[in-house]
Amino acid sequence: MASDQGLQPTLAANEIDWDQAAKRVAFTGQVDSATLKMQGNHLCKIGKFLRAIDYYDAALTRATSQEDAVILLLNRCYARISLQAFDAALADAKAVLDLSPGNEKALFRAARAVYGLRRWKESEQYLVALKQLYPNNTAADSDLKRCRERFEEENGRYDFAGMMEEALAKLPSPDMDRATYVGPIDIRQCAIESHGRGLFTTKDVNAGELLLCEKAFSAAFSAGNYSSNTAIRSNATISEADKPPLELRAELATKTFVKLHRNPSITPGFADLYPGPDAEETIDEKTGLPDVDDGFVQLRIVYNAFGFPLLSRDFHWQTAHSPTGRSGHSASSGIWLRASYVNHSCYPSVRRSFIGDMMIWRAQRNIPKDTELRFGYISCLEDYKTRQEMLSKYGFECGCQICTTEKETSGKKFKKRDAIMLEIVQHFEKTTPTDLQTYFDFLDALDATYSTPAILEPRRALITPLINLITNCSADGLHVHVIDLVHRLLAALGFEIKLTHATFKVLQWGYLIDEIVVSLADLCEAYKAVDPTLLPDAREVAMTAYEIMCGERESWESAYGRGRMRVGTERRTEDVDVDGGGG
């Protein structure tokens, strides 16, 4: 069977002082092909693959037989695969197959090279050919299984529990071995030309439906705790508070540049990303692409890179259960080609989450066919003026339904709303939190400051007081009150619920944040105690909300199936993202 160990013979330390010899005679013609090959093999063994390739290059120019050339090409192919220089590795493997058709190692390494280029079907074809000729090659069996797992994932069938295990095993750098699934979406020009391109649905989709599960094009991982779920795209200067650490950005740029340099075949997808309004790039006449230089990479990172937590499951828990909603300050940083086309709205229709460097997008509510997907670049819980100030540095003013409604709301109403909120806080501090009638009066007064239906203008001012009440009532075992309050919260955020003696169904999903999941978990506990008939439906709604927020539902039981923390009482900002104008 094929083995990569045979190309790494041990070289006794006293045979040649290679560092000195290389400087004097390595490529001057005084060293023969066999000696150069031995040094290349030695360098491979100690992980110095770039230097090994130099020796194999020189040895190939002095090879005296076809057999020698085949061995050198195979060894160089191995070194190039080790460097993730898959384009060149594939060329070496093909050259061997031209000289030695059916060569076992060449077939195996060709399969590995195209797998590295994410061309799963080609990899499978090489492996099938290998197994036909060498049926006892067990390494090929393992790689075939891996290819076929990628086929399943390309069709949206993921083992999310296995993905989380893989991410945890690879911490702090969970570079996932998974395929990208592109669901019922495509890239189109937006109706407003200045918005560039966006992602649109190709069919009606339901809340919770998987729309995209994308492997990062490149990523730089932080060794710190999970943190800011914020991206770093912008049309203008971004404050340091909005950025991942500069060293992460530099690392991401370096990794991306090296990847493109070593694999020119993948350049078109990256080149298609938005480079900013002022980019001046020279187009190569042969390739039709800009020159791949530092500016080419840096501009696309500035406008398209995302910061991300390593596991959204843990990020959700921190956000929903800690008083501040945030833990830590470091974040990893990455580039996702399709996800970069999602444009902004303060009333998002999709939610993103992460397992390692896999970005998962799910519908946050039912979305009709041919609708553009929207996501919040900034905290959508802020007031209108603050949101517009935050968005101004990205070069546009948001005109979503929430912004339009708030823009038309009088300052007098906002002042009244603020005054009522202050009264609620003062009352909460002085009285029993479960003395509900006074709170209901306050909540009704808050609701009266809104003039449009909740589905158009979610009552975000009601979120904090309602969640605080739900938390306290749940802790005190006041299940009937919990049920009433959760229904009030859902109605305030634009949810439309169908409730009968036997069913609890969401007809229309509204404004969704992490704390809603906690409140729905409290609702499940309340129904279990008061009306178990409704528990299965309530549990399904809660798990769907969790799946939207975390990307998967496999970890629901460990998070909410047994003893859990209670939500804090301070307000926080939800998952946010920023963009530099889309595609």
Side-chain angles (χ1 to χ4, degrees):
M1 74 179 254
S3 170
D4 287 324
Q5 299 304 314
L7 59 87
Q8 299 178 353
T10 301
L11 189 66
N14 62 357
E15 285 188 44
I16 298 178
D17 182 349
W18 283 106
D19 285 337
Q20 295 301 318
K23 293 177 183 178
R24 295 194 303 268
V25 298
F27 308 129
T28 64
Q30 300 177 38
V31 179
D32 62 18
S33 177
T35 305
L36 290 167
K37 182 186 73 172
M38 288 180 64
Q39 174 59 356
N41 292 349
H42 172 65
L43 290 167
C44 271
K45 183 176 182 180
I46 62 176
K48 296 184 177 180
F49 300 110
L50 277 172
R51 288 186 61 199
I53 289 170
D54 288 339
Y55 279 89
Y56 293 140
D57 289 344
L60 277 164
T61 66
R62 300 165 203 188
T64 57
S65 69
Q66 180 172 302
E67 181 181 0
D68 288 344
V70 164
I71 294 171
L72 288 164
L73 285 166
L74 285 171
N75 291 5
R76 189 173 68 179
C77 179
Y78 170 81
R80 284 172 163 171
I81 288 174
S82 300
L83 289 172
Q84 298 185 359
F86 300 117
D87 280 355
L90 180 59
D92 281 345
K94 287 182 174 180
V96 172
L97 291 172
D98 287 340
L99 296 171
S100 176
N103 183 284
E104 185 177 9
K105 287 186 177 181
L107 287 170
F108 186 76
R109 291 178 193 164
R112 284 281 175 95
V114 289
Y115 187 94
L117 292 169
R118 306 182 64 75
R119 287 150 45 183
W120 324 118
K121 192 64 181 177
E122 288 180 58
S123 186
E124 182 195 43
Q125 290 168 351
Y126 279 116
L127 292 166
V128 168
L130 174 60
K131 286 294 292 182
Q132 289 173 346
L133 294 171
Y134 308 98
N136 295 325
N137 190 312
T138 56
D141 292 331
S142 176
D143 279 22
L144 269 171
K145 179 177 181 292
R146 188 169 64 155
C147 283
R148 288 162 183 169
E149 289 171 348
R150 302 296 85 79
F151 296 157
E152 290 294 303
E153 291 162 358
E154 284 187 318
N155 287 295
R157 295 186 287 271
Y158 287 91
D159 171 15
F160 286 110
M163 285 174 64
M164 287 187 289
E165 289 178 6
E166 180 186 348
L168 289 169
K170 290 181 174 180
L171 288 175
S173 301
D175 183 355
M176 305 291 284
D177 183 15
R178 302 284 166 166
T180 290
Y181 165 69
V182 180
I185 57 174
D186 59 14
I187 300 169
R188 303 179 193 172
Q189 180 65 40
C190 298
I192 301 175
E193 186 176 352
S194 62
H195 289 182
R197 290 167 291 176
L199 289 183
F200 291 76
T201 54
T202 58
K203 71 177 187 69
D204 295 344
V205 299
N206 296 320
E209 188 168 341
L210 182 63
L211 301 176
L212 178 67
C213 187
E214 185 174 8
K215 162 74 176 176
F217 181 86
S218 60
F221 298 101
S222 168
N225 295 327
Y226 310 140
S227 58
S228 173
N229 208 11
T230 312
I232 57 176
R233 280 181 266 164
S234 142
N235 274 337
T237 302
I238 307 174
S239 70
E240 289 303 310
D242 294 326
K243 296 179 184 177
L246 291 178
E247 58 268 25
L248 274 176
R249 177 177 288 186
E251 180 185 343
L252 179 62
T254 299
K255 291 178 73 171
T256 304
F257 182 84
V258 170
K259 182 172 184 174
L260 292 167
H261 178 71
R262 292 178 178 173
N263 300 284
S265 67
I266 65 174
T267 301
F270 185 80
D272 200 39
L273 294 176
Y274 179 63
D278 303 317
E280 296 181 2
E281 298 179 319
T282 302
I283 304 299
D284 185 288
E285 292 183 1
K286 293 182 179 179
T287 65
L289 299 171
D291 293 333
V292 179
D293 55 20
D294 182 63
F296 168 84
V297 172
Q298 291 283 3
L299 284 173
R300 284 162 178 79
I301 285 177
V302 167
Y303 288 93
N304 298 280
F306 294 88
F308 66 101
L310 301 183
L311 275 178
S312 283
R313 175 196 67 182
D314 295 348
F315 183 85
H316 160 75
W317 188 264
Q318 294 164 358
T319 299
H321 292 83
S322 70
T324 60
R326 285 288 178 262
S327 176
H329 300 287
S330 61
S332 299
S333 181
I335 292 282
W336 287 262
L337 300 186
R338 288 177 181 82
S340 67
Y341 291 100
V342 179
N343 285 314
H344 169 80
S345 172
C346 296
Y347 199 162
S349 59
V350 292
R351 169 80 176 199
R352 65 166 194 180
S353 53
F354 298 90
I355 300 177
D357 68 346
M358 296 295 295
M359 185 189 287
I360 304 163
W361 292 87
R362 291 188 182 275
Q364 194 162 306
R365 58 178 180 266
N366 297 344
I367 307 174
K369 179 182 178 181
D370 297 323
T371 300
E372 185 181 0
L373 305 181
R374 295 299 185 105
F375 178 74
Y377 298 170
I378 46 91
S379 170
C380 299
L381 290 176
E382 301 294 344
D383 60 58
Y384 171 77
K385 182 179 178 181
T386 301
R387 293 199 312 274
Q388 296 302 332
E389 287 176 352
M390 295 171 73
L391 288 170
S392 65
K393 59 187 176 185
Y394 308 132
F396 65 91
E397 179 178 333
C398 182
C400 72
Q401 59 199 47
I402 290 179
C403 287
T404 300
T405 302
E406 288 189 3
K407 186 176 181 180
E408 296 171 354
T409 301
S410 67
K412 185 177 180 180
K413 279 192 175 181
F414 283 121
K415 288 181 180 179
K416 183 177 182 180
R417 197 175 295 169
D418 290 341
I420 296 170
M421 287 291 295
L422 180 60
E423 287 187 81
I424 291 175
V425 171
Q426 292 172 341
H427 187 76
F428 194 90
E429 292 174 346
K430 295 177 181 178
T431 63
T432 303
T434 52
D435 178 17
L436 294 181
Q437 187 53 54
T438 301
Y439 286 105
F440 288 163
D441 292 341
F442 281 131
L443 294 172
D444 289 342
L446 263 183
D447 188 64
T449 66
Y450 293 87
S451 56
T452 55
I455 187 59
L456 298 177
E457 186 182 13
R459 278 50 170 156
R460 289 168 300 147
L462 276 69
I463 293 175
T464 298
L466 277 168
I467 285 176
N468 288 341
L469 290 171
I470 292 166
T471 298
N472 282 277
C473 288
S474 183
D476 291 345
L478 303 177
H479 302 301
V480 173
H481 290 328
V482 169
I483 293 169
D484 184 24
L485 289 165
V486 173
H487 280 275
R488 279 177 174 258
L489 176 63
L490 295 174
L493 296 182
F495 286 75
E496 182 180 345
I497 305 296
K498 178 183 179 182
L499 183 65
T500 70
H501 71 283
T503 61
F504 174 86
K505 302 290 184 185
V506 177
L507 301 180
Q508 179 171 259
W509 287 72
Y511 194 85
L512 190 60
I513 58 174
D514 288 280
E515 288 89 340
I516 293 292
V517 178
V518 186
S519 295
L520 287 169
D522 288 333
L523 181 67
C524 290
E525 292 181 7
Y527 275 137
K528 182 178 180 180
V530 174
D531 192 352
T533 303
L534 297 176
L535 177 58
D537 281 356
R539 179 181 171 85
E540 177 57 30
V541 171
M543 290 179 69
T544 299
Y546 180 84
E547 185 176 41
I548 293 169
M549 305 311 283
C550 299
E552 45 77 27
R553 61 171 57 198
E554 281 74 2
S555 62
W556 161 267
E557 196 63 33
S558 63
Y560 291 98
R562 42 187 175 272
R564 55 191 173 86
M565 298 166 57
R566 294 292 175 184
V567 174
T569 58
E570 293 183 29
R571 185 179 175 191
R572 54 86 191 162
T573 56
E574 79 281 28
D575 169 55
V576 297
D577 184 23
V578 296
D579 182 84

mmCIF file of all heavy atoms in Angstrom, residues 71-98:
data_model
loop_
_atom_site.group_PDB
_atom_site.id
_atom_site.type_symbol
_atom_site.label_atom_id
_atom_site.label_comp_id
_atom_site.label_asym_id
_atom_site.label_seq_id
_atom_site.Cartn_x
_atom_site.Cartn_y
_atom_site.Cartn_z
ATOM 1 N N ILE A 71 10.251 9.187 -8.442
ATOM 2 C CA ILE A 71 10.444 9.249 -6.988
ATOM 3 C C ILE A 71 10.541 10.703 -6.523
ATOM 4 O O ILE A 71 9.931 11.098 -5.522
ATOM 5 C CB ILE A 71 11.697 8.456 -6.579
ATOM 6 C CG1 ILE A 71 11.472 6.958 -6.849
ATOM 7 C CG2 ILE A 71 12.033 8.682 -5.111
ATOM 8 C CD1 ILE A 71 12.723 6.116 -6.673
ATOM 9 N N LEU A 72 11.290 11.501 -7.249
ATOM 10 C CA LEU A 72 11.449 12.902 -6.866
ATOM 11 C C LEU A 72 10.133 13.672 -6.965
ATOM 12 O O LEU A 72 9.808 14.500 -6.095
ATOM 13 C CB LEU A 72 12.521 13.560 -7.736
ATOM 14 C CG LEU A 72 13.964 13.123 -7.432
ATOM 15 C CD1 LEU A 72 14.899 13.521 -8.575
ATOM 16 C CD2 LEU A 72 14.432 13.747 -6.117
ATOM 17 N N LEU A 73 9.371 13.416 -8.014
ATOM 18 C CA LEU A 73 8.077 14.074 -8.160
ATOM 19 C C LEU A 73 7.135 13.675 -7.029
ATOM 20 O O LEU A 73 6.399 14.519 -6.485
ATOM 21 C CB LEU A 73 7.458 13.735 -9.507
ATOM 22 C CG LEU A 73 8.070 14.434 -10.729
ATOM 23 C CD1 LEU A 73 7.605 13.762 -12.015
ATOM 24 C CD2 LEU A 73 7.697 15.922 -10.737
ATOM 25 N N LEU A 74 7.141 12.411 -6.656
ATOM 26 C CA LEU A 74 6.296 11.952 -5.556
ATOM 27 C C LEU A 74 6.703 12.598 -4.241
ATOM 28 O O LEU A 74 5.858 13.006 -3.434
ATOM 29 C CB LEU A 74 6.360 10.426 -5.431
ATOM 30 C CG LEU A 74 5.595 9.631 -6.487
ATOM 31 C CD1 LEU A 74 5.928 8.147 -6.387
ATOM 32 C CD2 LEU A 74 4.086 9.846 -6.331
ATOM 33 N N ASN A 75 8.020 12.691 -4.025
ATOM 34 C CA ASN A 75 8.492 13.302 -2.791
ATOM 35 C C ASN A 75 8.148 14.793 -2.741
ATOM 36 O O ASN A 75 7.732 15.323 -1.703
ATOM 37 C CB ASN A 75 10.004 13.114 -2.655
ATOM 38 C CG ASN A 75 10.373 11.659 -2.415
ATOM 39 O OD1 ASN A 75 9.522 10.779 -2.432
ATOM 40 N ND2 ASN A 75 11.658 11.408 -2.210
ATOM 41 N N ARG A 76 8.312 15.469 -3.868
ATOM 42 C CA ARG A 76 7.958 16.886 -3.909
ATOM 43 C C ARG A 76 6.450 17.067 -3.739
ATOM 44 O O ARG A 76 5.988 18.014 -3.073
ATOM 45 C CB ARG A 76 8.433 17.514 -5.220
ATOM 46 C CG ARG A 76 8.279 19.039 -5.236
ATOM 47 C CD ARG A 76 8.908 19.649 -6.460
ATOM 48 N NE ARG A 76 8.192 19.300 -7.686
ATOM 49 C CZ ARG A 76 8.535 19.726 -8.913
ATOM 50 N NH1 ARG A 76 9.597 20.505 -9.053
ATOM 51 N NH2 ARG A 76 7.844 19.358 -9.971
ATOM 52 N N CYS A 77 5.677 16.173 -4.308
ATOM 53 C CA CYS A 77 4.224 16.209 -4.140
ATOM 54 C C CYS A 77 3.853 16.108 -2.661
ATOM 55 O O CYS A 77 3.010 16.858 -2.161
ATOM 56 C CB CYS A 77 3.583 15.064 -4.928
ATOM 57 S SG CYS A 77 1.789 14.970 -4.791
ATOM 58 N N TYR A 78 4.509 15.203 -1.953
ATOM 59 C CA TYR A 78 4.261 15.055 -0.518
ATOM 60 C C TYR A 78 4.583 16.348 0.233
ATOM 61 O O TYR A 78 3.811 16.807 1.091
ATOM 62 C CB TYR A 78 5.100 13.902 0.030
ATOM 63 C CG TYR A 78 5.101 13.804 1.535
ATOM 64 C CD1 TYR A 78 4.051 13.204 2.203
ATOM 65 C CD2 TYR A 78 6.150 14.346 2.278
ATOM 66 C CE1 TYR A 78 4.042 13.125 3.588
ATOM 67 C CE2 TYR A 78 6.151 14.281 3.661
ATOM 68 C CZ TYR A 78 5.095 13.666 4.311
ATOM 69 O OH TYR A 78 5.097 13.590 5.675
ATOM 70 N N ALA A 79 5.736 16.941 -0.085
ATOM 71 C CA ALA A 79 6.122 18.187 0.579
ATOM 72 C C ALA A 79 5.116 19.300 0.284
ATOM 73 O O ALA A 79 4.755 20.088 1.166
ATOM 74 C CB ALA A 79 7.522 18.597 0.141
ATOM 75 N N ARG A 80 4.648 19.360 -0.948
ATOM 76 C CA ARG A 80 3.690 20.406 -1.311
ATOM 77 C C ARG A 80 2.341 20.191 -0.636
ATOM 78 O O ARG A 80 1.700 21.162 -0.202
ATOM 79 C CB ARG A 80 3.539 20.444 -2.839
ATOM 80 C CG ARG A 80 4.748 21.109 -3.521
ATOM 81 C CD ARG A 80 4.722 20.990 -5.031
ATOM 82 N NE ARG A 80 5.646 21.958 -5.629
ATOM 83 C CZ ARG A 80 5.978 21.982 -6.922
ATOM 84 N NH1 ARG A 80 5.459 21.079 -7.764
ATOM 85 N NH2 ARG A 80 6.807 22.896 -7.381
ATOM 86 N N ILE A 81 1.902 18.962 -0.511
ATOM 87 C CA ILE A 81 0.663 18.699 0.227
ATOM 88 C C ILE A 81 0.821 19.123 1.683
ATOM 89 O O ILE A 81 -0.081 19.706 2.288
ATOM 90 C CB ILE A 81 0.269 17.214 0.123
ATOM 91 C CG1 ILE A 81 -0.227 16.897 -1.296
ATOM 92 C CG2 ILE A 81 -0.814 16.854 1.142
ATOM 93 C CD1 ILE A 81 -0.509 15.431 -1.546
ATOM 94 N N SER A 82 1.986 18.850 2.252
ATOM 95 C CA SER A 82 2.246 19.234 3.645
ATOM 96 C C SER A 82 2.185 20.741 3.825
ATOM 97 O O SER A 82 1.839 21.233 4.904
ATOM 98 C CB SER A 82 3.608 18.703 4.085
ATOM 99 O OG SER A 82 3.656 17.288 4.000
ATOM 100 N N LEU A 83 2.518 21.498 2.784
ATOM 101 C CA LEU A 83 2.448 22.962 2.815
ATOM 102 C C LEU A 83 1.092 23.488 2.364
ATOM 103 O O LEU A 83 0.890 24.696 2.278
ATOM 104 C CB LEU A 83 3.538 23.555 1.921
ATOM 105 C CG LEU A 83 4.976 23.442 2.422
ATOM 106 C CD1 LEU A 83 5.947 23.893 1.333
ATOM 107 C CD2 LEU A 83 5.168 24.292 3.678
ATOM 108 N N GLN A 84 0.164 22.594 2.049
ATOM 109 C CA GLN A 84 -1.145 22.949 1.509
ATOM 110 C C GLN A 84 -1.016 23.701 0.186
ATOM 111 O O GLN A 84 -1.863 24.528 -0.157
ATOM 112 C CB GLN A 84 -1.958 23.746 2.530
ATOM 113 C CG GLN A 84 -2.235 22.960 3.799
ATOM 114 C CD GLN A 84 -3.150 23.683 4.772
ATOM 115 O OE1 GLN A 84 -3.591 24.806 4.532
ATOM 116 N NE2 GLN A 84 -3.459 23.028 5.879
ATOM 117 N N ALA A 85 0.042 23.398 -0.556
ATOM 118 C CA ALA A 85 0.207 23.920 -1.918
ATOM 119 C C ALA A 85 -0.406 22.885 -2.858
ATOM 120 O O ALA A 85 0.283 22.158 -3.575
ATOM 121 C CB ALA A 85 1.680 24.153 -2.221
ATOM 122 N N PHE A 86 -1.729 22.823 -2.846
ATOM 123 C CA PHE A 86 -2.421 21.711 -3.479
ATOM 124 C C PHE A 86 -2.383 21.777 -5.003
ATOM 125 O O PHE A 86 -2.344 20.738 -5.677
ATOM 126 C CB PHE A 86 -3.861 21.644 -2.987
ATOM 127 C CG PHE A 86 -3.973 21.450 -1.500
ATOM 128 C CD1 PHE A 86 -4.560 22.424 -0.697
ATOM 129 C CD2 PHE A 86 -3.473 20.307 -0.888
ATOM 130 C CE1 PHE A 86 -4.665 22.250 0.672
ATOM 131 C CE2 PHE A 86 -3.575 20.115 0.487
ATOM 132 C CZ PHE A 86 -4.174 21.096 1.267
ATOM 133 N N ASP A 87 -2.412 22.982 -5.583
ATOM 134 C CA ASP A 87 -2.335 23.097 -7.044
ATOM 135 C C ASP A 87 -1.053 22.456 -7.571
ATOM 136 O O ASP A 87 -1.084 21.633 -8.505
ATOM 137 C CB ASP A 87 -2.368 24.570 -7.464
ATOM 138 C CG ASP A 87 -3.775 25.149 -7.477
ATOM 139 O OD1 ASP A 87 -4.736 24.389 -7.261
ATOM 140 O OD2 ASP A 87 -3.906 26.368 -7.691
ATOM 141 N N ALA A 88 0.062 22.837 -7.004
ATOM 142 C CA ALA A 88 1.347 22.300 -7.461
ATOM 143 C C ALA A 88 1.481 20.822 -7.130
ATOM 144 O O ALA A 88 2.059 20.047 -7.910
ATOM 145 C CB ALA A 88 2.492 23.091 -6.825
ATOM 146 N N ALA A 89 0.948 20.400 -5.982
ATOM 147 C CA ALA A 89 0.995 18.983 -5.621
ATOM 148 C C ALA A 89 0.226 18.149 -6.631
ATOM 149 O O ALA A 89 0.673 17.055 -7.037
ATOM 150 C CB ALA A 89 0.430 18.777 -4.222
ATOM 151 N N LEU A 90 -0.921 18.642 -7.046
ATOM 152 C CA LEU A 90 -1.711 17.922 -8.042
ATOM 153 C C LEU A 90 -0.954 17.828 -9.364
ATOM 154 O O LEU A 90 -0.975 16.774 -10.029
ATOM 155 C CB LEU A 90 -3.055 18.618 -8.246
ATOM 156 C CG LEU A 90 -4.004 17.982 -9.260
ATOM 157 C CD1 LEU A 90 -4.346 16.543 -8.872
ATOM 158 C CD2 LEU A 90 -5.273 18.818 -9.402
ATOM 159 N N ALA A 91 -0.276 18.889 -9.752
ATOM 160 C CA ALA A 91 0.519 18.861 -10.984
ATOM 161 C C ALA A 91 1.607 17.788 -10.895
ATOM 162 O O ALA A 91 1.866 17.070 -11.861
ATOM 163 C CB ALA A 91 1.130 20.226 -11.244
ATOM 164 N N ASP A 92 2.254 17.669 -9.733
ATOM 165 C CA ASP A 92 3.274 16.634 -9.554
ATOM 166 C C ASP A 92 2.672 15.241 -9.673
ATOM 167 O O ASP A 92 3.237 14.353 -10.327
ATOM 168 C CB ASP A 92 3.944 16.783 -8.182
ATOM 169 C CG ASP A 92 4.988 17.891 -8.156
ATOM 170 O OD1 ASP A 92 5.402 18.341 -9.243
ATOM 171 O OD2 ASP A 92 5.381 18.300 -7.048
ATOM 172 N N ALA A 93 1.534 15.029 -9.019
ATOM 173 C CA ALA A 93 0.898 13.711 -9.060
ATOM 174 C C ALA A 93 0.495 13.346 -10.484
ATOM 175 O O ALA A 93 0.668 12.203 -10.925
ATOM 176 C CB ALA A 93 -0.310 13.692 -8.135
ATOM 177 N N LYS A 94 -0.025 14.321 -11.221
ATOM 178 C CA LYS A 94 -0.413 14.057 -12.611
ATOM 179 C C LYS A 94 0.811 13.757 -13.472
ATOM 180 O O LYS A 94 0.760 12.901 -14.373
ATOM 181 C CB LYS A 94 -1.188 15.245 -13.179
ATOM 182 C CG LYS A 94 -2.607 15.370 -12.632
ATOM 183 C CD LYS A 94 -3.329 16.549 -13.274
ATOM 184 C CE LYS A 94 -4.786 16.613 -12.858
ATOM 185 N NZ LYS A 94 -5.488 17.767 -13.485
ATOM 186 N N ALA A 95 1.909 14.461 -13.201
ATOM 187 C CA ALA A 95 3.145 14.187 -13.951
ATOM 188 C C ALA A 95 3.616 12.758 -13.720
ATOM 189 O O ALA A 95 4.070 12.079 -14.651
ATOM 190 C CB ALA A 95 4.227 15.187 -13.550
ATOM 191 N N VAL A 96 3.510 12.282 -12.489
ATOM 192 C CA VAL A 96 3.885 10.894 -12.196
ATOM 193 C C VAL A 96 2.966 9.923 -12.931
ATOM 194 O O VAL A 96 3.423 8.916 -13.506
ATOM 195 C CB VAL A 96 3.848 10.630 -10.682
ATOM 196 C CG1 VAL A 96 4.049 9.141 -10.394
ATOM 197 C CG2 VAL A 96 4.922 11.444 -9.971
ATOM 198 N N LEU A 97 1.670 10.211 -12.932
ATOM 199 C CA LEU A 97 0.726 9.314 -13.605
ATOM 200 C C LEU A 97 0.964 9.281 -15.114
ATOM 201 O O LEU A 97 0.693 8.265 -15.768
ATOM 202 C CB LEU A 97 -0.711 9.743 -13.287
ATOM 203 C CG LEU A 97 -1.135 9.521 -11.825
ATOM 204 C CD1 LEU A 97 -2.494 10.149 -11.557
ATOM 205 C CD2 LEU A 97 -1.171 8.018 -11.493
ATOM 206 N N ASP A 98 1.478 10.368 -15.664
ATOM 207 C CA ASP A 98 1.853 10.353 -17.083
ATOM 208 C C ASP A 98 3.054 9.436 -17.314
ATOM 209 O O ASP A 98 3.117 8.720 -18.326
ATOM 210 C CB ASP A 98 2.197 11.769 -17.559
ATOM 211 C CG ASP A 98 0.964 12.644 -17.706
ATOM 212 O OD1 ASP A 98 -0.149 12.095 -17.810
ATOM 213 O OD2 ASP A 98 1.119 13.890 -17.689
#
